Amino acid sequence: YGAPKLAFEQKRYYFSLNDPELDALRSIRDRYNRVYFILLLGYFKVKPVVLNIRYSDVRDDLLFIAGEFFPDMKLGRKNLSPMQKVRIYRRIFQLLDYQSFDDDSEAALSMRAGVAAAASIDSRFLFDESTDFLAKHRIAIPKYTVLQRVVSRAIASERQRLADIRGDTEEAQRIQYESERKRLQEQL
C-alpha cells in the first residue's frame, strides 16, 4: 500500500487534530517526529494500514503539515528511523484504539476467512470479508501479501473440503451400488 493522494480539503480534514491527538503531539519532543506523527495519523485515519514511506513519497504532505502546524520550521529531507516509526504507530494505535496485526490476529483472520470461504471462494469477497473483520476488531490491515496468503489458504482449504465431501459421496455411492448389485445377484 502506498501513501494516499489527498486533495487540499482532504489534507485539512485528515491532518487536523482533536484534543487527545494534540496532547499526544505535545508529548513528542522532536518537531520533525511531530510532523511525521501528524502525517501517519492522518494516513491511518484514511486507511488503517501501517505504511512504509520515504520522504520523497510524502514530501508535499509533510510540507503542508509543517506549514499548518509549524510555520517557522525549515523542513529537511529526513526519513523516519524504524524505531521512530514503531513509536509513532504505538501512539496512533493507542489514540485510535487499534492493535497491530500479529500472529494471533492472523490466526483469527484465517479462521474467519475459512468460514467466509464456505459461502463463496471468490477472492474479492474474501478480501472484503477479511478487511471487514479487521475493521470490526480494530486491527491494523497487514501487508497485501499477508492478506493474499490468508485468502489463498482459505480458498485452498475450502476446495479441499469440497473435494473430500465429493470423494466421500462417490465412495458411499460406489459401496451402495456394489451392495445393491450383490443383493440382486443373490436373488437371481
Side-chain angles (χ1 to χ4, degrees):
Y1 307 103
K5 303 295 182 214
L6 303 175
F8 180 76
E9 286 304 316
Q10 289 174 312
K11 289 179 187 186
R12 291 186 60 135
Y13 176 77
Y14 287 111
F15 298 141
S16 64
L17 303 177
N18 61 29
D19 289 339
E21 294 165 351
L22 280 170
D23 289 342
L25 178 70
R26 289 185 194 110
S27 71
I28 300 171
R29 284 176 279 188
D30 182 78
R31 287 200 330 175
Y32 213 89
N33 288 344
R34 287 180 175 192
V35 173
Y36 267 104
F37 169 76
I38 297 167
L39 178 83
L40 294 176
L41 176 62
Y43 288 167
F44 197 83
K45 289 175 184 177
V46 173
K47 188 169 196 170
V49 174
V50 174
L51 297 172
N52 289 318
I53 56 172
R54 295 185 321 253
Y55 173 86
S56 59
D57 299 331
V58 296
R59 179 183 173 273
D60 292 341
D61 289 341
L62 288 170
L63 291 171
F64 174 84
I65 292 165
E68 291 287 310
F69 288 88
F70 311 104
D72 60 329
M73 182 179 179
K74 177 87 170 150
L75 194 64
R77 294 179 49 99
K78 181 181 173 189
N79 288 311
L80 278 178
S81 74
M83 195 54 181
Q84 291 166 325
K85 183 179 133 185
V86 167
R87 286 186 193 127
I88 288 173
Y89 272 113
R90 275 193 206 134
R91 289 177 195 262
I92 291 170
F93 292 157
Q94 185 177 23
L95 275 171
L96 300 180
D97 193 30
Y98 263 79
Q99 62 185 23
S100 62
F101 189 86
D102 58 15
D103 291 342
D104 292 338
S105 305
E106 184 167 352
L109 179 60
S110 293
M111 286 180 59
R112 176 62 191 127
V115 169
S120 172
I121 58 170
D122 177 64
S123 59
R124 183 69 206 167
F125 170 76
L126 293 172
F127 271 100
D128 290 345
E129 285 291 311
S130 296
T131 56
D132 287 349
F133 173 85
L134 294 169
K136 179 182 175 190
H137 291 88
R138 303 194 65 78
I139 300 169
I141 298 171
K143 294 182 211 176
Y144 185 75
T145 54
V146 173
L147 285 179
Q148 271 184 316
R149 180 177 65 235
V150 168
V151 167
S152 295
R153 286 179 182 165
I155 290 171
S157 178
E158 181 60 16
R159 284 186 174 148
Q160 184 61 52
R161 185 184 76 81
L162 292 173
D164 291 347
I165 290 170
R166 280 192 309 272
D168 289 347
T169 302
E170 290 171 5
E171 181 66 15
Q173 288 174 349
R174 188 188 66 71
I175 291 170
Q176 184 179 4
Y177 170 78
E178 289 297 323
S179 173
E180 186 66 20
R181 189 172 69 91
K182 188 176 181 181
R183 188 183 64 78
L184 289 172
Q185 283 179 343
E186 288 174 356
Q187 287 180 350
L188 294 175

